[in-house]
Amino acid sequence: MTALTQSTAPRSERRYQFSWADAGPFLALGALLVLGFLINQDFLSATNLSNVITRSAYVAIIAVGATFVISSGGLDLSVGSMVAFIAGITIMFMNVMAPTLGLWAIPAGMAIAVLAGLLCGLANGLIVTVGKIEPFIATLGTMGIFRALITYLTNGGTIPIDKSLREAYRPVYFGTLGGVPIPILISAVVAVLGAFVLYKTKYGRKCAAVGANEDVARYSGISVIKTRTIAYVIQGACVAIAAICYVPRLGAATVTTGQLWELQVITAVVIGGTALRGGKGRIWGTIAGAVILELIANLMVLSDFVSEYLVAAVQGVIIIIAMLVQRFSK
Amino acid sequence: MTALTQSTAPRSERRYQFSWADAGPFLALGALLVLGFLINQDFLSATNLSNVITRSAYVAIIAVGATFVISSGGLDLSVGSMVAFIAGITIMFMNVMAPTLGLWAIPAGMAIAVLAGLLCGLANGLIVTVGKIEPFIATLGTMGIFRALITYLTNGGTIPIDKSLREAYRPVYFGTLGGVPIPILISAVVAVLGAFVLYKTKYGRKCAAVGANEDVARYSGISVIKTRTIAYVIQGACVAIAAICYVPRLGAATVTTGQLWELQVITAVVIGGTALRGGKGRIWGTIAGAVILELIANLMVLSDFVSEYLVAAVQGVIIIIAMLVQRFSK
Amino acid sequence: MSIVARIDRERGVAPATPVLRAEGVSKRYGTVTVLSDVTLDILPGEIHAIIGENGAGKSTFMRLLSGYIEPTEGTLAMAGHQVRFARPDQAQAAGIALVHQEILLADALTVTDNLFLGRELTKGGIVDDARMRLVAAAKLAELGCEVPATSLIRDISLADRQMVQIARALLDEHRVVIFDEPTAVLTGGEVERLLAIIFELKARGIAVLYISHRLDEVQRLADKVTVLRDGKMVGTHPGHTLSQIDMARLMVGRELNALYPQKQATRTSEPMLSVLNAVVPGFVQDVSFTVHKGEILGFAGMIGAGRTELFEGILGLRPGMATIELNGVPMRVHSQREAMDAGIGYLTEDRKGKGLLLQERLGPNLTLSALASFHPGLVLKRAREADALTRAVSSFDIRLKSLAAKAGQLSGGNQQKLLLAKVLLTAPSVVIIDEPTRGIDIANKAQIYGFIQDLVKQGKACIVISSEMQELVGICDRIIVMREGRISGEVSGETMTESNIALLATSERAQLAEGGTK
Amino acid sequence: DKKVVAVSIPAADHGWTAGVVYHAQAAAKEINAAFPDVEVVVKTSPSAADQVSALEDLSASRKLDALVILPYTSEELTQPVKAIKDMGTFITVVDRGLTDASVQDLYLAGDNIAVGANTAKFMIDKLGGKGDVVVLRGIPTVIDDERIKGFQDTIKGTGIKVLDIQYAHWNSDEAFKLMQDYLAKYPHIDAVWANDDDMLLGVLEAVKQSGRTDIKLALGGNGMKDIVKKVIDGDAMTPVETPYPPSMIKTAIYMTVANLIGQAPVRGHVKLDAPLITQANAKEYYFPDSPF
Ligand SMILES: Nc1ncnc2c1ncn2[C@@H]1O[C@H](COP(=O)(O)OP(=O)(O)OP(=O)(O)O)[C@@H](O)[C@H]1O
Ligand SMILES: Nc1ncnc2c1ncn2[C@@H]1O[C@H](COP(=O)(O)OP(=O)(O)OP(=O)(O)O)[C@@H](O)[C@H]1O
Ligand SMILES: [Mg+2]
Ligand SMILES: [Mg+2]
């Protein structure tokens, strides 16, 4: 065996190696910040950056859940509609309870939101896993269902939150704690929790295993159905948290709330370095991805180069370039 | 040799075996027709069915291309915007050429459409294969780009086709040949061609191989890049053909043309039995899927059960049920 | 630990109670019977070999014992109690572990992740990566496998993956450990270490089921040998009384000719393929060699010597640089297609990952790299494809129950034969075969050797990469030995002995001895 | 220092909003050229949330002297606009009023109820007080609701019966399909009302294709140039039109600028009427160069 030991001595452990692939999204983020500063000096102002990061909080929170779903080999197109639906029933519940519970209606409503999120996620999960339906189609179906339900609840219009609750609820989006906007804190907590679960618990390992190779997972005694369903439930919880932060920002839920967020969420996850075909999720990359998307949108508003009609094209080009940079920096 | 003759002599190729899995979409189609008849007798009237099938032609034509892309392991979210973009430049070209070419502007415009389709497809294909970007993200990017370009070309409004060409072009959508509406004939031709290429040619085999296992394809001397790029080019050509049939219907391209068709197209392909993860395509199933989607929408209008607010929900439910039926009829 | 305690207790009470018993088990897929009415007792502390031809049903039987599939008929019993396993982890919990014939690991995860999949070590609810890495590294070191525990599976060689699989099965204490062709992808040193570990298991009172087509291993190891033929049990024999020839005869059910064909003097001095200064970054440095018309050139070496990478680099399947001369014409090959068109055929060692489309039927698999010849006009000629399949099935003796089967449903050895047929369909003039007989039974090995010889008789050249030194010595005209990505020597004629090859493969400066067994 | 007027409007996602974008940009170009000390910045947003973001971005990077906004929805934009007003910005709101009317210094709107009501009145007249009507509505929003409400309130008590009402998302393709289905479902239809002209285009094609003669009226709304042209040409099926001109954004921008640089303060409530466009007055509403 001498030969073997000889030949393998130089190979060291990977642990402390710097990985370009993992750094990709953060490099892209840095590049964008520099670009932004060159375009408009105000870009790096504390207010602007804090606004942008606060705003990216919803997508970031939802995308943490999506990182679970995607790394377990699933996909969820329904998150945008689900935000609208959950925001809708939360507001309705709060409004109904406001006379009896007073301001306590707000925490009660939040609890309802989380419950609803868990149930919606469970429904998605069961359709995909027990129903064995391609996630793309299953969640496209539930996307239509949630969207229709919110349309029905709002009678095609808007559900505004009760005036009496409005002011008390506002700080959840607009407030700060130690100078940091509350949505940023919430998304940081969600991300830390997400990273903990995905990287440090048995469930996280199962998730990655199921996404990497279903057969191997099954043979290792991992229940594919359970693991993937739980990923959808986590996604539901994240959507609920996002909805809770969302409601005070605009004070209402409408039929258009959350439209196309699903695409943003998936883009954030993929830009963050998680592979769509499943296997291993990157929570921090996802967060970077969500911020990148908001930054691009912000840059579009702050710069005056681009015709209003072409904003979408420039965004598309920037995203593709960001992915290319990431790919070839490896 | 001995083993084979001993134990397996009677069993021959599958050719004449009936496969429930393959029949799934057609069974679902049949069930829907029966359901429709029960709900409303007019449903099976020749006019209604011919309208519905004609309407499904676009999605069917595009979905034939999508069957190639998906079975080669790709995905294309840009097809809806691409229809709008191609329709837009086709109309602009025809309008410019009408004074000099007269009615010849129409075939010339069609040629331009096909050329544009091939180029758009090529662009998508190269970004995905050479750029090595996740197809979901790459084509989400080009979706934004195409949509922005048509918005820019139309100034956010409408490009109508020149009055002088309108009447001559109309029959391409509204005309019939031997009693069969022309869009149906065109989509039948596209489907036959698609089925031929996918099932009977070398390229079809390569496509399926690349989708099933890239490594095996590569080790078998198949160029993954070339094969997958060609699939996107075929997709582009199909989109161009759909655009050619689309223009005479309303005589204009607008910023909303083709919106969300990508989701319909993918749904049709998946309902038709093609797996999203690639490896095997089912052209005829795809066609059935496209018709199923239009039939469901048609049924929603013809029946009086559903509140207008809930139409999307019921559609979602029906699609999920259709997939479940298919899954468990295997 | 409790399992071991139980084993000890049982041994004390009734040493002869079978730890695992299969009674009258059968397995059918649709109308196809793969295994019929097999009854077998496995005793603790016993090494029980199962042998049989390709497709005899060995793997099926093992999968059935370890919960991967359920029998259509029959029952399993452990220590006298009837058991039923719906899932592999239930069998594992009951103390039965299987090392699969095909590699079953998650590519995108690390070695450690794979080892502990589904049974991670935790500390206060948190997975304890540091400890798992240590345990994994220790277990791998015990097996003599030196891959870093943090490597991704997709980055390590096939042999290393096999070692990881074995480590995975040995991580916990089991009552029965089943090895399904564990040595097919291993070389001498690893095999020795594995055999030592198996003896150690036996000494601890653990029952071992062992499948191999390498009958010398069976002979050394087995206390008992059970022979399967065509899904039926032929009989169980005490191991040490059977010679290899006896075993082969029992498996095949008829007399066998010699394993290796008589060497023919087909070798010429006309160079066919010359490779100059091949470099594959990270794997191979500066390798040059020439293979002549009518020659069978062997490549030997330890695992990790870089043989596979050398040829993949030359053929454009991975980044690498080499100057090639084919029939005296210098050329560069950038892709497998170019190689094929130039007349170089390559058969990969990884049949499951890179060789066959497991979900696809046999015909399309067979013709995948030679599509052009089934495609004279626009249309693919199905009849021609069916013909080719029938021909391949008969000339390579592919055992299957139905021509409509999917490639993944073939037994391991038969997949290998299909792959060989696929590569030869491209009508190459230089054939490079990486591990030609991996998992192939003894009767068919002879057939494949004959086939290789036919190739060179037709004036082709053949390069055989193999980890079975005996096989190389048996068929090659000349053998190049690699070590750590370089050529460490060459043997031919009198110096072509297993011990010389082993010497060149392992030590820095080898003194070759002449003569010896052939 | 230049005075900054920010204009926040929805992105061009269908004909009418495209018209808004066109007129807003035209106004910005004209004013930027004409008044060197005024800068008009136009930003479009594809959703309510994005519009709020755009407001934050615009106000974070510079001091706004005035904001002209066509809000996505009233409830959602009220607070964010109020936040900007609190920084001392003059607020002009177009089309959709905010829930807190005190936020808007200037409010300029069309009358969606009137769009529905005037159309209904014409129909009642023309059909002689009774008939079967099918309706195509747009996207679930306040505008759509108001138009439908205006229509339904007006026909209440008459012999006009609404056979069916479904969404077609202000999209001509969907309207085409929906109309085909209406035609298959109802053997007799007297009139069609699509509450937006984009949809009317689809409706007209479907009716033309069916060759049916029972449909006497097919009316739209919004003042799209193609439909106004039909009215001018005396089309039998579409003899009238109701305006809801996207150019109101231009009016609003000019009024806001006038307030900033002129001497006369401009405050209050301006409601644009939605009179029936008939062949007689159609020329006034015809702008062939507008994209809408
Ligand atoms: N899922 C399946 N469906 C149909 N036939 C199958 C299936 N799985 C295995 N078979 C058939 O069962 C037979 C026995 O296969 P098995 O893998 O047990 O053979 P084996 O003895 O392990 O052979 P080898 O030595 O080549 O590994 C083969 O003919 C194979 O084609
Ligand atoms: N992931 C890796 N990273 C770095 N070096 C590696 C890695 N995997 C293998 N190597 C090195 O590459 C060389 C060749 O590996 P490999 O085991 O594939 O060779 P081989 O001779 O083809 O063996 P086999 O008998 O399995 O075919 C060895 O030097 C090995 O140490
Ligand atoms: Mg086997
Ligand atoms: Mg090798």
Side-chain angles (χ1 to χ4, degrees):
Chain A
M1 276 310 92
T2 41
L4 258 176
T5 31
Q6 274 169 22
S7 68
T8 52
R11 268 190 275 169
S12 76
E13 292 262 341
R14 255 185 199 233
R15 213 180 317 170
Y16 303 108
Q17 259 174 18
F18 175 77
S19 154
W20 278 101
D22 291 356
F26 303 99
L27 294 178
L29 189 58
L32 219 58
L33 287 175
V34 173
L35 182 74
F37 182 69
L38 294 180
I39 288 178
N40 187 329
Q41 260 68 326
D42 295 328
F43 180 73
L44 287 189
S45 74
T47 341
N48 188 50
L49 281 187
S50 136
N51 276 347
V52 172
I53 301 177
T54 311
R55 226 181 270 161
S56 68
Y58 315 131
V59 168
I61 293 171
I62 301 175
V64 167
T67 307
F68 281 87
V69 170
I70 291 175
S71 66
S72 80
L75 191 73
D76 193 343
L77 295 178
S78 73
V79 291
S81 314
M82 207 195 284
V83 169
F85 176 61
I86 293 177
I89 55 177
T90 305
I91 294 179
M92 285 174 71
F93 178 85
M94 287 184 182
N95 290 354
V96 169
M97 285 300 159
T100 37
L101 294 182
L103 288 186
W104 286 105
I106 294 175
M110 290 178 176
I112 289 291
V114 172
L115 188 68
L118 295 175
L119 289 177
C120 290
L122 186 65
N124 274 337
L126 291 179
I127 296 173
V128 167
T129 56
V130 179
K132 295 202 176 71
I133 299 185
E134 194 87 62
F136 190 99
I137 299 299
T139 57
L140 191 67
T142 56
M143 163 176 153
I145 295 174
F146 294 136
R147 183 64 65 196
L149 289 176
I150 180 71
T151 312
Y152 186 74
L153 289 179
T154 58
N155 268 325
T158 305
I159 314 181
I161 191 165
D162 201 285
K163 289 252 155 49
S164 66
L165 302 173
R166 189 89 201 237
E167 280 309 308
Y169 197 175
R170 247 180 85 82
V172 173
Y173 184 82
F174 292 98
T176 58
L177 206 75
V180 185
I182 291 186
I184 297 186
L185 290 177
I186 295 180
S187 63
V189 170
V190 169
V192 168
L193 276 179
F196 176 78
V197 172
L198 195 57
Y199 301 143
K200 296 284 169 200
T201 68
K202 280 191 166 198
Y203 174 73
R205 293 302 149 90
K206 289 185 187 171
C207 221
V210 167
N213 188 328
E214 263 186 50
D215 281 338
V216 172
R218 195 167 320 113
Y219 291 154
S220 306
I222 295 170
S223 163
V224 176
I225 291 189
K226 209 157 73 185
T227 307
R228 204 169 274 162
T229 307
I230 291 177
Y232 278 96
V233 172
I234 293 176
Q235 172 73 87
C238 289
V239 170
I241 295 172
I244 289 172
C245 301
Y246 176 84
V247 170
R249 178 164 185 211
L250 301 183
T254 72
V255 284
T256 54
T257 298
Q259 235 165 22
L260 298 185
W261 285 14
E262 53 278 357
L263 296 184
Q264 282 196 49
V265 165
I266 296 172
T267 309
V269 173
V270 176
I271 287 183
T274 302
L276 262 187
R277 82 198 82 80
K280 206 145 201 177
R282 304 195 186 283
I283 297 281
W284 297 109
T286 294
I287 300 284
V291 176
I292 287 175
L293 288 183
E294 269 319 322
L295 276 184
I296 294 176
N298 178 247
L299 264 183
M300 290 294 110
V301 177
L302 291 192
S303 75
D304 283 321
F305 305 144
V306 188
S307 147
E308 287 304 313
Y309 296 129
L310 289 178
V311 168
V314 177
Q315 287 187 351
V317 170
I318 294 182
I319 290 175
I320 290 179
I321 291 177
M323 291 295 291
L324 280 176
V325 167
Q326 225 193 83
R327 195 65 75 229
F328 291 101
S329 71
K330 272 184 197 175
Chain B
M1 195 65 281
T2 40
L4 180 71
T5 33
Q6 273 165 25
S7 55
T8 60
R11 233 153 299 139
S12 73
E13 285 261 4
R14 257 193 197 221
R15 222 174 305 169
Y16 304 108
Q17 258 177 19
F18 177 78
S19 152
W20 277 102
D22 291 355
F26 304 98
L27 294 177
L29 189 58
L32 218 60
L33 287 175
V34 172
L35 182 74
F37 183 70
L38 294 179
I39 289 178
N40 186 329
Q41 260 68 327
D42 294 330
F43 179 71
L44 287 189
S45 75
T47 337
N48 188 51
L49 282 187
S50 135
N51 276 346
V52 171
I53 300 177
T54 310
R55 256 148 45 179
S56 68
Y58 310 133
V59 169
I61 293 171
I62 301 174
V64 167
T67 308
F68 281 88
V69 170
I70 292 175
S71 65
S72 79
L75 191 73
D76 193 344
L77 295 178
S78 74
V79 290
S81 314
M82 208 197 286
V83 169
F85 176 60
I86 294 177
I89 55 175
T90 305
I91 293 179
M92 286 174 71
F93 178 84
M94 287 184 182
N95 290 355
V96 169
M97 284 301 157
T100 36
L101 294 183
L103 289 186
W104 286 104
I106 296 176
M110 291 177 174
I112 289 292
V114 172
L115 187 70
L118 295 174
L119 290 177
C120 291
L122 186 65
N124 274 336
L126 291 179
I127 296 173
V128 167
T129 56
V130 178
K132 295 202 177 76
I133 299 185
E134 194 88 60
F136 190 100
I137 299 300
T139 57
L140 191 67
T142 55
M143 164 175 152
I145 295 173
F146 293 137
R147 181 64 66 197
L149 289 177
I150 179 72
T151 312
Y152 185 72
L153 290 180
T154 59
N155 266 327
T158 305
I159 313 181
I161 192 167
D162 201 286
K163 290 253 154 47
S164 65
L165 303 173
R166 186 81 205 252
E167 281 310 306
Y169 198 175
R170 242 180 93 83
V172 174
Y173 185 82
F174 292 99
T176 59
L177 205 75
V180 185
I182 289 183
I184 298 186
L185 289 177
I186 295 180
S187 63
V189 171
V190 169
V192 168
L193 276 178
F196 176 78
V197 173
L198 195 57
Y199 301 142
K200 300 276 175 200
T201 70
K202 205 158 71 163
Y203 175 72
R205 281 289 171 82
K206 290 184 184 173
C207 212
V210 167
N213 187 330
E214 264 184 49
D215 275 336
V216 172
R218 208 155 54 86
Y219 276 72
S220 304
I222 295 170
S223 163
V224 175
I225 291 190
K226 209 157 73 183
T227 307
R228 203 169 273 161
T229 305
I230 292 176
Y232 278 96
V233 172
I234 293 176
Q235 172 73 86
C238 289
V239 170
I241 296 172
I244 289 172
C245 301
Y246 171 84
V247 171
R249 179 156 110 181
L250 296 177
T254 71
V255 282
T256 54
T257 297
Q259 234 167 23
L260 298 185
W261 284 13
E262 54 277 358
L263 295 183
Q264 282 195 49
V265 164
I266 296 171
T267 310
V269 172
V270 176
I271 288 184
T274 301
L276 263 185
R277 86 198 79 81
K280 205 143 206 179
R282 300 193 190 286
I283 298 281
W284 297 108
T286 294
I287 300 285
V291 175
I292 287 175
L293 288 183
E294 272 313 326
L295 276 183
I296 293 177
N298 178 248
L299 261 182
M300 288 295 107
V301 178
L302 291 193
S303 74
D304 281 320
F305 305 145
V306 188
S307 144
E308 66 205 275
Y309 296 132
L310 289 178
V311 169
V314 178
Q315 286 188 355
V317 170
I318 294 183
I319 289 174
I320 291 178
I321 291 177
M323 291 295 291
L324 281 177
V325 166
Q326 225 193 83
R327 198 62 76 229
F328 292 101
S329 70
K330 274 184 196 176
Chain C
M1 285 301 110
S2 68
I3 292 170
V4 178
R6 250 187 294 154
I7 291 171
D8 289 342
R9 204 176 59 227
E10 277 152 19
R11 247 195 318 197
V13 178
T17 312
V19 54
L20 179 61
R21 175 180 166 81
E23 178 141 9
V25 293
S26 301
K27 180 69 194 176
R28 271 191 296 278
Y29 290 105
T31 54
V32 182
T33 303
V34 174
L35 205 62
S36 58
D37 193 24
V38 176
T39 299
L40 192 70
D41 281 332
I42 296 133
L43 301 179
E46 177 182 84
I47 300 174
H48 198 137
I50 313 280
I51 60 173
E53 287 181 282
N54 293 130
K58 303 178 297 293
S59 298
T60 305
F61 187 34
M62 296 306 113
R63 282 201 289 261
L64 208 139
L65 291 179
S66 47
Y68 285 75
I69 52 180
E70 285 197 86
T72 322
E73 277 157 31
T75 55
L76 302 180
M78 288 194 79
H81 305 289
Q82 191 171 325
V83 287
R84 214 181 132 248
F85 305 129
R87 295 197 318 264
D89 57 302
Q90 292 174 348
Q92 264 171 41
I96 303 174
L98 169 65
V99 178
H100 231 266
Q101 179 176 11
E102 309 293 347
I103 308 285
L104 255 181
L105 298 169
D107 270 5
L109 305 185
T110 64
V111 169
T112 310
D113 287 345
N114 270 284
L115 275 180
F116 288 92
L117 212 56
R119 47 185 172 163
E120 288 80 8
L121 304 180
T122 55
K123 195 162 73 186
I126 300 173
V127 288
D128 190 349
D129 276 315
R131 195 154 65 93
M132 285 197 289
R133 268 198 298 269
L134 283 179
V135 175
K139 200 76 207 178
L140 288 169
E142 200 181 305
L143 289 170
C145 171
E146 304 262 343
V147 286
T150 48
S151 307
L152 294 183
I153 293 294
R154 74 159 74 94
D155 294 339
I156 68 176
S157 73
L158 210 53
D160 286 334
R161 293 182 203 189
Q162 176 69 323
M163 295 313 265
V164 172
Q165 280 211 124
I166 293 171
R168 181 173 159 74
L170 298 179
L171 203 57
D172 290 342
E173 280 292 329
H174 286 104
R175 304 161 79 179
V176 182
V177 182
I178 305 174
F179 295 93
D180 191 351
E181 288 186 38
T183 54
V185 297
L186 302 182
T187 43
E190 286 75 18
V191 173
E192 287 310 316
R193 183 152 311 210
L194 179 65
L195 298 194
I197 284 172
I198 290 175
F199 280 122
E200 215 174 286
L201 292 176
K202 172 186 160 87
R204 293 218 301 271
I206 295 167
V208 175
L209 273 167
Y210 192 82
I211 296 177
S212 181
H213 290 296
R214 297 185 178 175
L215 299 180
D216 53 328
E217 291 167 9
V218 173
Q219 199 179 22
R220 281 173 58 195
L221 276 175
D223 299 316
K224 282 186 194 148
V225 177
T226 291
V227 184
L228 285 182
R229 198 190 302 149
D230 222 355
K232 295 182 197 70
M233 217 169 97
V234 177
T236 300
H237 306 265
H240 308 292
T241 63
L242 288 180
S243 71
Q244 291 185 39
I245 289 295
D246 292 335
M247 287 189 236
R249 208 180 291 127
L250 283 168
M251 280 162 55
V252 186
R254 61 188 150 87
E255 285 301 321
L256 272 178
N257 302 325
L259 182 55
Y260 299 109
Q262 190 64 44
K263 283 193 184 172
Q264 313 256 336
T266 53
R267 178 184 171 186
T268 66
S269 56
E270 189 185 324
M272 195 125 183
L273 173 70
S274 301
V275 172
L276 268 177
N277 308 99
V279 174
V280 180
F283 298 97
V284 175
Q285 302 103 40
D286 195 26
V287 167
S288 306
F289 64 90
T290 300
V291 60
H292 303 89
K293 191 170 164 144
E295 181 184 35
I296 304 176
L297 173 63
F299 266 83
M302 301 285 294
I303 286 177
R307 295 160 298 166
T308 300
E309 286 75 9
L310 167 65
F311 285 96
E312 289 185 347
I314 293 172
L315 299 177
L317 287 164
R318 63 166 73 227
M321 284 200 317
T323 313
I324 299 181
E325 264 181 35
L326 188 63
N327 291 319
V329 185
M331 62 180 296
R332 278 222 59 182
V333 174
H334 301 94
S335 73
Q336 178 73 347
R337 179 81 268 150
E338 284 178 26
M340 282 175 184
D341 291 345
I344 308 173
Y346 173 67
L347 181 134
T348 168
E349 61 176 343
D350 184 2
R351 62 173 170 250
K352 204 178 166 192
K354 305 195 172 93
L356 297 173
L357 298 172
L358 300 175
Q359 298 301 323
E360 187 55 90
R361 280 167 302 127
L362 306 182
N365 262 301
L366 179 67
T367 58
L368 195 59
S369 29
L371 279 172
S373 51
F374 294 86
H375 206 273
L378 259 182
V379 190
L380 202 75
K381 291 270 182 284
R382 292 279 164 114
R384 215 184 272 189
E385 181 176 281
D387 260 13
L389 181 59
T390 325
R391 237 175 310 124
V393 163
S394 70
S395 52
F396 289 88
D397 193 17
I398 300 173
R399 308 278 174 105
L400 34 68
K401 308 285 180 183
S402 150
L403 281 171
K406 304 229 161 96
Q409 291 171 344
L410 290 186
S411 81
N414 284 307
Q415 287 177 7
Q416 182 74 14
K417 289 190 248 173
L418 179 66
L419 190 56
L420 192 55
K422 170 181 163 181
V423 172
L424 291 178
L425 262 189
T426 60
S429 56
V430 180
V431 190
I432 302 164
I433 309 180
D434 201 349
E435 309 290 355
T437 58
R438 175 169 288 174
I440 289 205
D441 71 43
I442 190 159
N444 286 303
K445 267 184 189 168
Q447 223 170 347
I448 286 177
Y449 300 144
F451 220 92
I452 291 173
Q453 209 168 48
D454 286 347
L455 289 177
V456 292
K457 256 192 246 166
Q458 294 158 25
K460 300 179 175 181
C462 196
I463 295 173
V464 177
I465 307 162
S466 175
S467 301
E468 266 189 76
M469 284 184 275
Q470 207 193 354
E471 157 178 300
L472 290 176
V473 172
I475 59 169
C476 293
D477 298 313
R478 194 157 60 94
I479 298 170
I480 291 174
V481 185
M482 285 183 68
R483 196 175 83 82
E484 289 178 52
R486 292 173 190 278
I487 290 179
S488 59
E490 184 184 313
V491 295
S492 62
E494 286 296 283
T495 58
M496 198 157 75
T497 63
E498 287 187 43
S499 53
N500 278 347
I501 296 172
L503 214 57
L504 283 171
T506 50
S507 60
E508 199 79 42
R509 244 176 269 288
Q511 283 291 318
L512 298 193
E514 292 223 344
T517 47
K518 191 114 183 242
Chain D
D1 220 23
K2 280 194 174 190
K3 299 213 176 220
V4 179
V5 178
V7 179
S8 170
I9 49 180
D13 51 14
H14 68 283
W16 192 79
T17 45
V20 171
V21 177
Y22 172 84
H23 287 294
Q25 283 182 333
K29 213 154 134 207
E30 290 164 17
I31 292 171
N32 287 342
F35 303 98
D37 51 349
V38 176
E39 188 190 351
V40 179
V41 189
V42 179
K43 291 293 167 192
T44 63
S45 312
S47 74
D50 286 304
Q51 195 170 26
V52 176
S53 303
L55 291 185
E56 286 172 2
D57 292 345
L58 288 169
S59 60
S61 55
R62 54 178 130 186
K63 158 109 177 55
L64 302 180
D65 296 288
L67 171 70
V68 180
I69 180 168
L70 198 164
Y72 254 88
T73 57
S74 310
E75 284 82 0
E76 293 175 305
L77 269 301
T78 299
Q79 285 303 322
V81 173
K82 185 164 186 299
I84 292 191
K85 185 188 174 71
D86 293 345
M87 293 187 240
T89 302
F90 180 87
I91 305 290
T92 302
V93 177
V94 184
D95 189 28
R96 286 157 237 185
L98 300 176
T99 44
D100 180 356
S102 68
V103 177
Q104 13 192 78
D105 296 302
L106 175 62
Y107 175 51
L108 187 107
D111 189 347
N112 279 307
I113 303 244
V115 168
N118 289 343
T119 309
K121 270 188 219 136
F122 178 80
M123 249 181 209
I124 297 167
D125 269 8
K126 194 81 179 181
L127 296 178
K130 88 184 184 7
D132 295 331
V133 180
V134 290
V135 177
L136 295 87
R137 61 191 301 184
I139 295 172
T141 58
V142 184
I143 302 171
D144 184 74
D145 279 348
E146 286 180 352
R147 291 187 186 177
I148 296 296
K149 186 174 179 322
F151 186 85
Q152 281 178 327
D153 286 351
T154 312
I155 61 168
K156 212 168 272 165
T158 69
I160 302 279
K161 192 175 147 219
V162 174
L163 293 175
D164 218 327
I165 183 163
Q166 301 272 353
Y167 286 109
H169 303 104
W170 287 332
N171 177 310
S172 10
D173 280 306
E174 288 187 42
F176 175 81
K177 296 183 189 181
L178 181 56
M179 192 61 209
Q180 275 194 335
D181 291 346
Y182 279 161
L183 289 167
K185 189 174 176 185
Y186 302 104
H188 181 87
I189 297 172
D190 289 303
V192 193
W193 179 48
N195 76 9
D196 164 275
D197 288 335
D198 270 319
M199 294 195 291
L200 183 62
L201 293 179
V203 167
L204 292 174
E205 283 299 338
V207 173
K208 183 171 174 192
Q209 181 214 13
S210 74
R212 292 242 307 241
T213 50
D214 50 327
I215 296 118
K216 301 177 194 71
L217 285 178
L219 302 183
N222 264 7
M224 181 193 262
K225 62 179 179 191
D226 310 63
I227 306 299
V228 178
K229 186 82 184 19
K230 274 182 186 296
V231 176
I232 294 176
D233 296 345
D235 191 276
M237 202 176 276
T238 315
V240 296
E241 165 72 331
T242 39
Y244 196 80
S247 58
M248 69 176 74
I249 191 78
K250 197 169 180 178
T251 315
I253 295 171
Y254 268 103
M255 288 171 78
T256 307
V257 172
N259 177 66
L260 278 192
I261 60 172
Q263 309 303 325
V266 185
R267 291 284 139 106
H269 227 97
V270 182
K271 193 126 186 173
L272 299 178
D273 204 2
L276 221 48
I277 304 175
T278 61
Q279 203 170 6
N281 64 355
K283 287 233 162 51
E284 297 167 37
Y285 294 91
Y286 188 55
F287 307 103
D289 293 336
S290 154
F292 184 68

